[in-house]
Amino acid sequence: DMQKFVAAFASVISQSTPHIYISALPFAPRGLGVSKRYLSDYPQTLAVRNGGYDNWPALQNACTGHKGAVNSAAFSPDGKQIVSGSDDSTVRVWDAETGETIVGPLRGHIGRVSSVSFSPDGTRIVSGSSDCTVRVWDAETGETVVGPLQGHSHSVNSVSFSPDGKRVVSGSSDCALRVWDAKTGKTTAVVPLQGHERPVNSVSFSPDGSRIVSGSFDHTIRIWSVDTGEMVI
């Protein structure tokens, strides 16, 4: 219960510690552990006479700051940060506890950001955009470390890191997939991966990094070999 209390009121508590008791405690669910333990110690604070929570709400926080639709969001591997990509052409990194922007807005794309994802070690972010490019960012400084990666002829709709963090796959409205070296930005020997007849909306690596799965507007799912670029299923 205390964990949920802190998550719910983190933004208030971070501004002023006394608000734990002045502003937060009166609004905590009355029947749960924190209220039962501490409310009697603070009889002169606010009191909710009607309404109020019987249990904690499902919504833990709201991250606000983008000036356009948010198209993609993902947790960092340790769950402490969130990355988002928006129609406002920016990428933002948020504190998952407080909802505050901690890195960004990251600017560089000139079209809407369609897809974002953290690297497996949480140090980098990959983004794909309607400007037909892919970018890799430093998750701590917000600097572009690789890119813009150019090769797609239409909007990049989905991007993902390989499990070892060494490669990035992208799927595009040009109906193709491309695999990139996450450090050099070079494409692999077999590019692009072609077979879909309509835009590719979603891509992901297999857990061992040897295959890629893609989903498309053409109503099909395809599985590809990373090494050969051939369709295996």
Side-chain angles (χ1 to χ4, degrees):
D1 190 47
M2 179 61 78
Q3 211 169 21
K4 292 180 180 179
F5 179 92
V6 172
F9 298 114
S11 60
V12 173
I13 294 169
S14 67
Q15 294 176 45
S16 177
T17 304
H19 279 283
I20 296 173
Y21 313 106
I22 298 170
S23 300
L25 187 58
F27 291 98
R30 290 294 178 107
L32 301 184
V34 173
S35 293
K36 286 182 176 179
R37 170 61 184 84
Y38 293 105
L39 268 179
S40 60
D41 295 336
Y42 300 94
Q44 303 302 316
T45 54
L46 298 167
V48 179
R49 297 301 183 190
N50 293 293
Y53 290 123
D54 295 323
N55 211 325
W56 292 107
L59 175 66
Q60 291 190 5
N61 222 319
C63 304
T64 58
H66 281 299
K67 302 187 185 305
V70 177
N71 303 310
S72 181
F75 272 103
S76 60
D78 62 7
K80 294 181 178 180
Q81 298 176 347
I82 295 167
V83 63
S84 59
S86 168
D87 274 358
D88 64 13
S89 306
T90 70
V91 175
R92 286 177 180 256
V93 181
W94 314 80
D95 186 299
E97 290 293 330
T98 67
E100 300 294 324
T101 299
I102 55 176
V103 182
L106 311 185
R107 304 182 189 280
H109 287 297
I110 57 174
R112 67 183 179 89
V113 180
S114 310
S115 181
V116 290
S117 182
F118 273 98
S119 62
D121 63 2
T123 62
R124 292 167 296 161
I125 292 163
V126 63
S127 60
S129 169
S130 63
D131 65 11
C132 310
T133 70
V134 175
R135 286 176 179 261
V136 179
W137 314 79
D138 185 298
E140 185 175 349
T141 66
E143 296 180 356
T144 300
V145 292
V146 180
L149 307 183
Q150 299 174 320
H152 286 294
S153 58
H154 290 287
S155 173
V156 177
N157 303 320
S158 182
V159 289
S160 182
F161 272 101
S162 61
D164 60 8
K166 294 181 179 180
R167 293 172 174 173
V168 168
V169 63
S170 56
S172 168
S173 289
D174 63 11
C175 308
L177 291 78
R178 287 179 177 264
V179 182
W180 316 81
D181 186 297
K183 287 188 176 180
T184 66
K186 294 181 179 179
T187 53
T188 57
V190 183
V191 292
L193 310 186
Q194 295 179 313
H196 284 296
E197 298 176 357
R198 298 193 65 190
V200 179
N201 298 319
S202 183
V203 292
S204 182
F205 278 92
S206 62
D208 64 0
S210 67
R211 293 170 295 167
I212 294 167
V213 64
S214 59
S216 166
F217 263 119
D218 65 11
H219 305 179
T220 70
I221 296 167
R222 294 172 185 255
I223 299 176
W224 314 77
S225 168
V226 173
D227 291 332
T228 66
E230 295 179 357
M231 219 179 321
V232 293
I233 297 179

